[in-house]
Amino acid sequence: MKMLVIEDEEELLRFTLTYLRSEGYVCEEAATFQEGMEKINLYDYDCVIADIGLPDGNGLHLVRQLKSKLSDTGVIIISARNSLEDKIEGLDIGADDYLTKPFHLSELNARIKSILRRRKFQGNKEIDFHEIHVLPETMQTLVNGREIALTKKEFDLLIYFISNKDKVLTKEYIVEHLWGDYMDTADSYDFIYAHVSNLRRKLIESGAHDYVKSIYGVGYKFTDLEAK
Amino acid sequence: MKLNDKTNRYFITASLIVFCAGGILFYFLFQLIIDRDFNQRLHERKEYYIRIFSQSDSLLHYQQFSANSIGIIPVDRIIAGKEVVSDTILFDRIENKFNRYRQVSLGMNVRGEQYKIQVRRALVERKDIIQGVVILEVLLFLSFAVILSLLNNQLSKSLWKPFYAALDKIDHYKAEKGETLEFSRSNIDEFDVLAAAIEKMTSRISQEFHILKEFTENASHEIQTPLAIVKGKLEVLIQSPGLSEDQMDMINTASMAATRLSKLNEALLILSRIENRQFHVVKDINLHETVDRHLNALEELIQIKGIEVIKNYDNPIVFQMNPLLADILFENLIVNAIKHNTAEGSIAVTLRAKQFTISNTGEPPMRDPAQLFQRFVKASSKSHSLGLGLSIVKAILDTYQLRVKYTYGQHVHTMTIDF
């Protein structure tokens, strides 16, 4: 998977690349609008992550340029301004998703995976993790070939876990992934506990291994058994 | 009090003083003229009598005619050639009262008989003069005052026209629109100076407003970037192998604090954008649709808390406002009702006759309800609340000149907005 990250803030660019590379992506970087434009015109990428507030040009032009090439590159735009207008315009001209700074890397990762799944026409649109088989389009989950019934939130949670395999997911990240900005009350963390334990129980009852590791007071980690 | 009324009041007070002084002068002048005239007539009458008497044989038969106007008294000894003028009071039989008279007394010799002749005239009553003067003065003063105020009102209407036009413009001035006021020139210097000063002031205001607006947005942007770095680094750090749970907990706490700061920053930015009236687009908002949409979006949250939602929609209410602000308004009110609810509590939403009411069960307020809508005032000690939600609600309502009323009774908090 080849990615291009266009971001003028050096530190942001640095750790975003670190994180994405640890996920196994091949990443290229561009720190300016000009550089981003050149790279878009020269190479093909599976996914482009573009900050729209670049000092030497509006990132939305990059998205337009990319889309004029008729490429099926996935685009995620990132903006510090939480403005509805930018968001609507970005999505209108063909961006696949929109993230507002500051964002969680696990969230970016989950969004990238979802875009890549949707954009991959030849190939696997399904998610496999050992005995767990997930079909995002029909919202079905199979364990050892047998379907199990998950609620919408449990299903989202499972995909989020598998997308961020081996990563520490704090309750904060999970809350924001599942509920967005709505949920910021103290008791929301109890709801996370309820959802996670229901998902765990359903997976174990259907014969799957328990891949969810609790980190006391912090959150969870979805990981292979041997790493546990 | 209007400037016009005030000047009228001063004018009338001043003229009242002038009229009073004038009245007193008038009185003395009148008195003087009347007195001179009176004395002359009295003298003429005396001469007339002397002429008649000097041709008569005897005054005895005149004596019976003697009345208030003439007195003929036979005397033994004459006081010749000496006239004495004096004032006296006599009873007037016709008017049936005492009157003041002025008389000239003189001695007269008619064919050897000595007489004392008293020629009299009734004096004009001082009371009558005063009465005359006062009536005259009052009439003059009243007509003067009426004409003065009518004239003044009429004049001010036309003279002050440019002033009221300018006032109207200032009243509708909005700094956030970045406009500078311009006035048409009148032919009155004072108003032109005022207009020039206001033009200068508004152009400065709109400039400074623009700078401030830019500053707020840039500051917010600049704050978000370092926060994004902090959060990103913490997220990379927490993935490092070999961390103890305590270390991870510390990283997590730091990350949560950064999130909180960033949300606070966003909320303050929204608040300042609302207060600076930067949401110009206005659309017809169907209130029950908006409320329903937010209730649906928050349904899970409501379910988790076991809250029962009671809807009372009587009639559709349509209100003209910015769609984004409408969303923020109702989301904040509903989230507020969920957040401060009790487990297994209830939320009642009522839309009836231009009135929106949302009430929720909850603990009694810990603060003075008047403070609820101020910034950073938290209804409860829950540290996760930013304390800006209701300030944002109030700022939005202020934009549309709406008011929210908060009441608490029998474990139910109620917010009422009249649209």
Side-chain angles (χ1 to χ4, degrees), chain B residues 27 33 60 74 118-119 125 140 154 186 190 200 209 216 222 226 246 270 284 290 294 308 348 356 369 382 386:
Chain B
Y27 168 76
I33 294 166
L60 285 174
Q118 293 171 315
V119 182
E125 288 284 334
L140 264 176
Q154 209 52 43
S186 58
E190 284 86 343
K200 225 166 93 184
F209 181 83
T216 315
E222 294 306 319
D246 276 353
I270 290 234
D284 276 339
T290 312
H294 286 289
E308 185 194 3
F356 169 80
K382 281 180 193 167
L386 291 177

Side-chain angles (χ1 to χ4, degrees), chain A residues 4-8 29-43 45 50-59 61-62 65:
Chain A
L4 174 65
V5 183
I6 308 166
E7 167 65 62
D8 62 304
E29 59 194 273
T32 63
F33 177 81
Q34 214 49 49
E35 204 182 329
M37 213 60 158
E38 280 166 19
K39 290 203 167 161
I40 283 172
N41 287 324
L42 282 172
Y43 312 108
Y45 297 96
D51 187 338
I52 57 173
L54 296 170
D56 57 338
N58 191 328
H61 291 310
L62 286 169
Q65 175 65 24

Side-chain angles (χ1 to χ4, degrees), chain B residues 35 41 48 76 82 145 167 191 198 202 232 243 247 253 300 353-354 391 401 409-410:
Chain B
D35 225 41
R41 275 163 202 263
Y48 169 76
D76 300 332
K82 200 159 190 199
L167 198 66
F191 291 151
I198 292 170
T202 53
L243 288 178
Q247 285 167 326
T253 311
E300 202 191 359
K354 304 237 117 205
S391 312
Q401 279 95 43
Q410 294 172 321

Side-chain angles (χ1 to χ4, degrees), chain A residues 9 11 15 80 82 102 104-106 153 167-168 170 172-173 179 182-185 191 195 216 218, chain B residues 221 224-225 228 231-233 235 238-239 245 249 252 255-256 259 262 266 298 300-301 304 331 339 384:
Chain A
E9 197 68 43
E11 284 297 329
F15 67 69
N82 194 5
H104 296 129
L105 293 167
S106 57
K153 280 282 173 302
K167 291 281 189 291
V168 175
T170 69
E172 185 194 348
Y173 305 164
W179 287 288
Y182 274 134
M183 186 85 93
D184 58 353
T185 58
F191 311 152
H195 281 297
Y216 182 75
V218 177
Chain B
H221 180 93
Q224 290 297 22
T225 307
K231 287 186 72 176
K233 292 271 174 188
E235 197 172 346
I238 208 168
Q239 309 302 346
E245 285 196 348
D249 192 36
N252 186 34
S255 168
M256 270 162 35
T259 304
S262 129
E266 253 168 49
L298 292 163
E300 202 191 359
L301 232 100
I304 291 168
E331 187 193 311
K339 209 186 275 183
H384 273 261

Side-chain angles (χ1 to χ4, degrees), chain B residues 307-319:
Chain B
I307 295 167
E308 185 194 3
V309 176
I310 305 149
K311 294 183 196 174
N312 292 306
Y313 297 168
D314 266 17
N315 51 308
I317 302 176
V318 176
F319 187 72

Side-chain angles (χ1 to χ4, degrees), chain A residues 23 25 35 57 62 80 83 118 165 168 185-186 190 196 201 215:
Chain A
E23 281 291 306
Y25 298 113
E35 204 182 329
L62 286 169
S83 83
R118 274 182 285 161
K165 185 175 70 106
V168 175
T185 58
D190 299 337
V196 173
R201 183 176 48 76
I215 304 163

Side-chain angles (χ1 to χ4, degrees), chain B residues 139-325:
Chain B
L139 282 178
L140 264 176
F141 176 73
L142 281 181
S143 49
F144 178 77
V146 167
I147 290 170
L148 184 81
S149 50
L150 279 179
L151 190 75
N152 216 353
N153 281 346
Q154 209 52 43
L155 266 178
S156 71
K157 252 183 213 158
S158 60
L159 285 178
W160 287 83
K161 213 172 241 167
F163 175 80
Y164 286 110
L167 198 66
D168 191 53
K169 269 193 175 172
I170 297 167
D171 201 30
H172 291 102
Y173 175 70
K174 280 182 181 146
E176 66 274 15
K177 283 196 175 162
E179 58 190 3
T180 302
L181 288 187
E182 272 172 34
F183 302 96
S184 50
R185 289 283 177 267
S186 58
N187 51 7
I188 298 166
D189 289 349
E190 284 86 343
F191 291 151
D192 283 351
V193 171
L194 180 72
I198 292 170
E199 279 169 14
K200 225 166 93 184
M201 188 180 80
T202 53
S203 88
R204 210 170 45 226
I205 288 173
S206 70
Q207 249 177 40
E208 304 227 324
F209 181 83
H210 187 69
I211 292 167
L212 189 70
K213 196 179 98 180
E214 259 184 5
F215 172 79
T216 315
E217 286 194 21
N218 289 346
S220 157
H221 180 93
E222 294 306 319
I223 289 169
Q224 290 297 22
T225 307
L227 277 175
I229 294 170
V230 170
K231 287 186 72 176
K233 292 271 174 188
L234 289 173
E235 197 172 346
V236 174
L237 184 62
I238 208 168
Q239 309 302 346
S240 319
L243 288 178
S244 71
E245 285 196 348
D246 276 353
Q247 285 167 326
M248 280 199 258
D249 192 36
M250 277 194 273
I251 297 168
N252 186 34
T253 311
S255 168
M256 270 162 35
T259 304
R260 201 172 141 68
L261 195 54
S262 129
K263 278 186 178 159
L264 191 65
N265 187 35
E266 253 168 49
L268 281 174
L269 180 66
I270 290 234
L271 197 55
S272 87
R273 286 183 69 190
I274 296 168
E275 282 172 352
N276 293 340
R277 307 273 192 272
Q278 287 177 28
F279 296 90
H280 296 301
V281 184
V282 168
K283 278 184 184 157
D284 276 339
I285 303 293
N286 204 325
L287 298 190
H288 69 267
E289 269 176 29
T290 312
V291 172
D292 270 348
R293 189 154 41 78
H294 286 289
L295 281 174
N296 283 339
L298 292 163
E299 203 189 334
E300 202 191 359
L301 232 100
I302 294 167
Q303 276 178 2
I304 291 168
K305 273 202 151 187
I307 295 167
E308 185 194 3
V309 176
I310 305 149
K311 294 183 196 174
N312 292 306
Y313 297 168
D314 266 17
N315 51 308
I317 302 176
V318 176
F319 187 72
Q320 288 228 319
M321 69 187 292
N322 181 281
L324 186 63
L325 290 188

Side-chain angles (χ1 to χ4, degrees), chain A:
Chain A
M1 287 298 144
K2 208 172 158 196
M3 325 276 287
L4 174 65
V5 183
I6 308 166
E7 167 65 62
D8 62 304
E9 197 68 43
E10 206 198 319
E11 284 297 329
L12 269 174
L13 180 64
R14 201 64 40 228
F15 67 69
T16 307
L17 290 172
T18 311
Y19 196 93
L20 292 179
R21 281 181 183 135
S22 79
E23 281 291 306
Y25 298 113
V26 178
C27 295
E28 287 204 17
E29 59 194 273
T32 63
F33 177 81
Q34 214 49 49
E35 204 182 329
M37 213 60 158
E38 280 166 19
K39 290 203 167 161
I40 283 172
N41 287 324
L42 282 172
Y43 312 108
D44 281 326
Y45 297 96
D46 293 297
C47 189
V48 172
I49 297 138
D51 187 338
I52 57 173
L54 296 170
D56 57 338
N58 191 328
L60 290 174
H61 291 310
L62 286 169
V63 182
R64 277 198 202 91
Q65 175 65 24
L66 199 62
K67 288 293 152 185
S68 69
K69 278 176 73 187
L70 293 174
S71 75
D72 59 343
T73 307
V75 179
I76 297 176
I77 49 178
I78 288 164
S79 164
R81 262 172 253 150
N82 194 5
S83 83
L84 195 72
E85 302 87 56
D86 282 352
K87 184 174 184 169
I88 290 167
E89 196 186 345
L91 297 178
D92 264 359
I93 60 174
D96 295 271
D97 216 334
Y98 182 103
L99 271 177
T100 311
K101 272 189 215 170
F103 53 86
H104 296 129
L105 293 167
S106 57
E107 189 61 39
L108 176 67
N109 188 29
R111 305 253 184 137
I112 291 171
K113 291 217 164 117
S114 155
I115 287 172
L116 292 179
R117 269 200 308 277
R118 274 182 285 161
R119 293 216 160 258
K120 227 191 287 173
F121 295 106
Q122 70 284 34
N124 202 0
K125 284 192 170 187
E126 292 148 16
I127 307 165
D128 278 311
F129 188 82
H130 299 293
E131 66 273 30
I132 302 166
H133 185 65
V134 183
L135 300 99
E137 285 194 329
T138 52
M139 279 190 60
Q140 284 175 297
T141 313
L142 292 96
V143 176
N144 294 322
R146 273 207 319 277
E147 191 176 342
I148 59 166
L150 296 180
T151 64
K152 172 88 174 60
K153 280 282 173 302
E154 288 160 4
F155 186 79
D156 284 349
L157 197 56
L158 179 61
I159 294 181
Y160 183 64
F161 272 147
I162 300 174
S163 299
N164 288 296
K165 185 175 70 106
D166 293 333
K167 291 281 189 291
V168 175
L169 297 172
T170 69
K171 289 173 187 171
E172 185 194 348
Y173 305 164
I174 300 172
V175 164
E176 218 168 290
H177 176 76
L178 292 184
W179 287 288
D181 280 343
Y182 274 134
M183 186 85 93
D184 58 353
T185 58
D187 35 24
S188 63
Y189 296 146
D190 299 337
F191 311 152
I192 295 294
Y193 176 76
H195 281 297
V196 173
S197 39
N198 281 341
L199 175 66
R200 256 169 129 168
R201 183 176 48 76
K202 285 181 184 177
L203 288 174
I204 293 166
E205 277 174 1
S206 64
H209 294 285
D210 185 14
Y211 298 109
V212 180
K213 184 191 168 198
S214 301
I215 304 163
Y216 182 75
V218 177
Y220 302 93
K221 191 174 187 174
F222 195 79
T223 183
D224 285 327
L225 288 177
E226 51 269 30
K228 211 170 168 179

